Amino acid sequence: MGDLMDTTQPLVTVGIPVYNGKRFLNAALDSILTQTYSNLEIIICDNASTDGTAEICERYAAKDHRIQYHRNEENLGAARNYNLTVERASGKYFKWAAYDDLCAPTFIERCVAMLEREPGVTLAYPKTLVIDEQGRIINDAFEDGYDIRAEQPHIRFKLFTLTPLDCNAVFGVIRLDHLKKTPCIGPYESSDRVLLGELALLGEIAEVPERLFYRRFHPMISTSACKTKRSIAQWFDPSSSGKFSRLRRFVEYERSLNRVPLTTPQRVFCSYQLFLFYQRMYLEPARWKRVMQRVKPRVGRLTVPKLSQLKKRAAF
């Protein structure tokens, strides 16, 4: 299979983090190996599986030289295992592939074409079909809503704060040099969404208007198998206590605003949009109304005129 590779195409690294994925792993690997885009390196990071995952990976690696199989001596948690696939990547572009999801044959081809055509795009992802344990389509009208197209980073971040909470777009194809500017997947709940926010600051996120991603829902998916906040946190990081995850996410969003080169007005604007997002999601309406009665006149007097004036300048 590797002999048919078109090495004139940019190299794409596909990172497959897995733990006890025996049930669905064969199908996931087949969907990557049958991609119409062939210049791939496939990096599997096995998080000390105990169910026969290793045997599957070794068998596939023996058949296709594009596959590199790495096995951790112990379970490092999902976040560290996801990030190991990035650390070992050498492609121009990078894609995570979960052991239980499927990709249509043209998934990578269509996403790479978008990235090659539009240098301002950091991440390209296709539309989603939701499937069940048996691979039957259970939702053919799912909308990801992450098509974030704007020239200025603070406007993209505002659009990001208005997107749905589902993070299927993180399984799209990403410019590796941009991804490596971020912490990738953090060791805390919903760090994939924090990552998408930082990627939106680094460049546009573009949706390929074809349903090429098959997201599988089943009883052992992390959001279903982990019944408590603590268990979810420990899925990401085995040493986590599971406390203060909402505060942790807010802090990490703010850290991303400091990592990306923004002007001070842009950073203030993004922080305000983040504040609005948190109040929509978490504050009680009555409490928010009381807060805004005190804050809104001050914000309007001090912030809005500055932003509206600076918006006219090219630097903003």
Side-chain angles (χ1 to χ4, degrees):
M1 186 178 296
D3 294 338
L4 301 177
M5 291 169 59
D6 180 359
T7 54
T8 63
Q9 301 172 323
L11 179 64
V12 176
T13 301
V14 179
I16 305 178
V18 60
Y19 173 70
N20 286 352
K22 178 180 179 180
R23 183 176 180 189
F24 302 115
L25 183 57
N26 287 281
L29 287 169
D30 288 340
S31 79
I32 297 300
L33 293 174
T34 55
Q35 289 291 302
T36 56
Y37 193 98
S38 60
N39 194 18
L40 307 175
E41 66 171 1
I42 300 161
I43 298 174
I44 305 173
C45 286
D46 179 0
N47 218 357
S49 296
T50 59
D51 69 340
T53 290
E55 289 78 5
I56 295 171
C57 295
E58 288 167 352
R59 186 173 70 251
Y60 273 85
K63 291 192 301 183
D64 195 308
H65 73 266
R66 295 177 296 175
I67 297 176
Q68 304 173 33
Y69 173 54
H70 305 273
R71 178 177 169 83
N72 302 329
E73 293 184 2
E74 60 181 359
N75 190 322
L76 304 176
R80 181 67 185 130
N81 201 40
Y82 265 71
N83 294 345
L84 281 172
T85 64
V86 179
E87 291 174 18
R88 292 172 169 141
S90 57
K92 179 179 180 180
Y93 301 118
F94 180 87
K95 170 184 164 44
W96 276 301
Y99 77 92
D100 47 359
D101 295 330
L102 301 173
C103 300
T106 57
F107 183 121
I108 294 176
E109 178 186 345
R110 295 286 191 268
C111 290
V112 170
M114 176 80 75
L115 290 161
E116 289 285 282
R117 186 168 63 248
E118 300 190 43
V121 172
T122 285
L123 184 160
Y125 75 95
K127 294 168 78 73
T128 300
L129 290 165
V130 181
I131 60 176
D132 65 10
E133 292 177 80
Q134 286 72 43
R136 297 173 300 207
I137 296 173
I138 56 177
N139 187 344
D140 63 358
F142 185 90
E143 294 298 332
D144 293 284
Y146 273 86
D147 196 47
I148 300 174
R149 311 300 293 267
E151 183 178 346
Q152 297 173 313
H154 64 294
I155 301 300
R156 293 196 299 269
F157 192 79
K158 177 181 179 178
L159 295 174
F160 162 76
T161 65
L162 302 174
T163 59
L165 296 182
D166 295 286
C167 295
N168 294 333
V170 81
F171 292 104
V173 180
I174 311 167
R175 294 186 190 276
L176 184 60
D177 59 339
H178 287 192
L179 182 59
K180 287 188 172 182
K181 292 178 181 178
T182 77
C184 297
I185 301 297
Y188 55 91
E189 181 186 356
S190 298
S191 55
D192 49 354
R193 182 168 167 82
V194 177
L195 171 60
L196 286 171
E198 188 163 353
L199 290 173
L201 287 167
L202 291 169
E204 294 182 326
I205 297 178
E207 182 177 85
V208 175
E210 301 173 63
R211 295 193 182 274
L212 305 175
F213 180 52
Y214 294 79
R215 183 69 189 273
R216 192 191 304 271
F217 282 84
H218 56 91
M220 292 310 296
I221 196 171
S222 60
T223 50
S224 299
C226 300
K227 303 296 184 184
T228 66
K229 285 284 185 182
R230 184 185 178 101
S231 63
I232 293 172
Q234 291 181 338
W235 181 81
F236 280 94
D237 177 6
S239 65
S240 175
S241 65
K243 296 180 180 178
F244 310 121
S245 59
R246 190 177 298 167
L247 175 61
R248 173 70 184 274
R249 289 194 298 274
F250 184 86
V251 170
E252 295 297 340
Y253 277 123
E254 286 291 341
R255 285 176 174 170
S256 71
L257 297 180
N258 289 317
R259 277 191 297 269
V260 176
L262 300 170
T263 65
T264 298
Q266 288 175 333
R267 193 167 286 112
V268 170
F269 180 89
C270 290
S271 292
Y272 181 59
Q273 298 306 316
L274 182 60
F275 176 69
L276 293 179
F277 166 74
Y278 265 71
Q279 70 84 11
R280 288 194 301 270
M281 290 300 302
Y282 304 120
L283 293 182
E284 296 175 359
R287 180 183 175 191
W288 171 243
K289 185 176 181 180
R290 292 195 299 272
V291 170
M292 286 307 294
Q293 285 173 344
R294 297 194 298 270
V295 174
K296 192 171 183 180
R298 191 175 306 164
V299 170
R301 186 168 61 253
L302 297 179
T303 306
V304 174
K306 287 184 179 180
L307 290 174
S308 62
Q309 292 166 11
L310 289 168
K311 201 170 183 179
K312 296 176 183 178
R313 303 177 188 172
F316 189 68

